[in-house]
């Protein structure tokens, strides 16, 4: 009988001990989540204040300019990248690619073998190319396929972007159709030899 009472007492102590250890990690986890939430809120408030202060400072600096400045000539085209971030064209429903037309130039090899190019977008009217003013940069895989004709001496052929760095390193000369997939990646370039630069 004493053994049964002793056993029951030990089992009760063991159960209480188990409950104590089972509850503690859950409570610790709740406290830790609360601490993380508070830290994130503090960081967000601090970052928001810093961003607001920077925006105000930038506004004051842009409002107070040091003397008169001449506006850039409208006749001189610039190769500056447009301020708004480039958004790759999306394929139409049922289409695999979407194409943008543009001068492809200032090619250079970067990050090993990748090819960085500048694209000045154009539109066509009756086969004549006119610039839209949008300029952006793309980084291409060196194995990106490129269809060429005039660049290859009038013979249509296929090359790779890595092979054309020297020919595309100068200023705007060649117009290409740049094919983007649904994720915005460049899949190929096609020389728009059928267009006349205006």
């Amino acid at each position: 009988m004493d053994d049964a009472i002793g056993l029951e007492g030990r089992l009760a102590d063991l159960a209480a001990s188990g409950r104590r250890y089972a509850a503690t990690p859950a409570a610790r986890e709740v406290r830790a989540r609360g601490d993380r939430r508070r830290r994130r809120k503090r960081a967000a408030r601090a970052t928001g204040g810093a961003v607001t202060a920077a925006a105000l400072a930038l506004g004051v600096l842009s409002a107070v300019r040091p003397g008169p400045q001449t506006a850039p000539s409208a006749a001189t085209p610039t190769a500056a990248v447009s301020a708004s971030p480039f958004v790759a064209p999306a394929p139409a429903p049922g289409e695999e690619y979407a194409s943008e037309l543009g001068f492809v130039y200032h090619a250079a090899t970067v990050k090993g073998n990748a090819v960085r190019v500048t694209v000045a977008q154009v539109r066509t009217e009756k086969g004549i190319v006119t610039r839209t003013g949008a300029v952006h940069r793309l980084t291409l895989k060196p194995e990106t396929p490129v269809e060429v004709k005039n660049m290859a001496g009038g013979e249509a052929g296929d090359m790779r972007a890595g092979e054309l760095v020297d020919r595309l390193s100068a200023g705007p000369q060649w117009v290409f159709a740049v094919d983007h997939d649904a994720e915005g990646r460049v899949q190929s370039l096609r020389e728009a030899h059928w267009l006349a630069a205006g």
Side-chain angles (χ1 to χ4, degrees):
M1 189 76 162
D2 288 337
D3 288 341
I5 292 172
L7 181 60
E8 284 178 15
R10 278 187 258 150
L11 287 174
D13 289 343
L14 185 60
S17 165
R19 281 192 299 273
R20 189 169 54 243
Y21 287 119
T24 303
R28 277 191 212 136
E29 197 173 312
V30 168
R31 279 195 299 275
R33 278 197 302 264
D35 288 343
R36 283 194 298 267
R37 259 195 311 275
R38 279 191 291 280
R39 281 195 298 271
R40 281 195 300 267
K41 283 181 184 175
R42 269 187 249 132
R45 279 195 299 266
T47 304
V51 169
T52 303
L56 287 172
L58 183 60
V60 169
L61 289 175
S62 64
V64 181
R65 290 195 175 163
Q69 296 178 347
T70 59
S73 168
T76 307
T78 60
V81 177
S82 56
S84 61
F86 169 67
V87 177
E95 295 292 325
E96 191 173 0
Y97 303 117
S99 296
E100 68 167 322
L101 284 174
F103 283 100
V104 177
Y105 59 102
H106 287 172
T109 303
V110 295
K111 297 179 192 172
N113 291 331
V115 178
R116 165 91 30 102
V117 296
T118 300
V119 179
Q121 290 181 341
V122 298
R123 64 175 164 263
T124 60
E125 294 174 17
K126 298 179 183 174
I128 303 295
V129 172
T130 56
R131 293 181 187 234
T132 65
V135 178
H136 63 93
R137 291 192 180 99
L138 292 174
T139 302
L140 309 172
K141 294 179 182 176
E143 63 272 8
T144 302
V146 183
E147 292 178 16
V148 293
K149 184 173 181 181
N150 294 337
M151 288 187 73
E155 298 236 357
D158 294 325
M159 298 184 82
R160 301 281 178 230
E163 299 173 297
L164 294 172
V165 173
D166 290 340
R167 295 183 205 183
L168 295 174
S169 63
Q173 182 179 1
W174 310 101
V175 177
F176 284 86
V178 182
D179 300 321
H180 299 267
D181 66 12
E183 281 77 39
R185 295 176 301 226
V186 175
Q187 295 299 313
S188 61
L189 280 77
R190 294 174 288 121
E191 183 186 344
H193 56 84
W194 60 91
L195 298 175

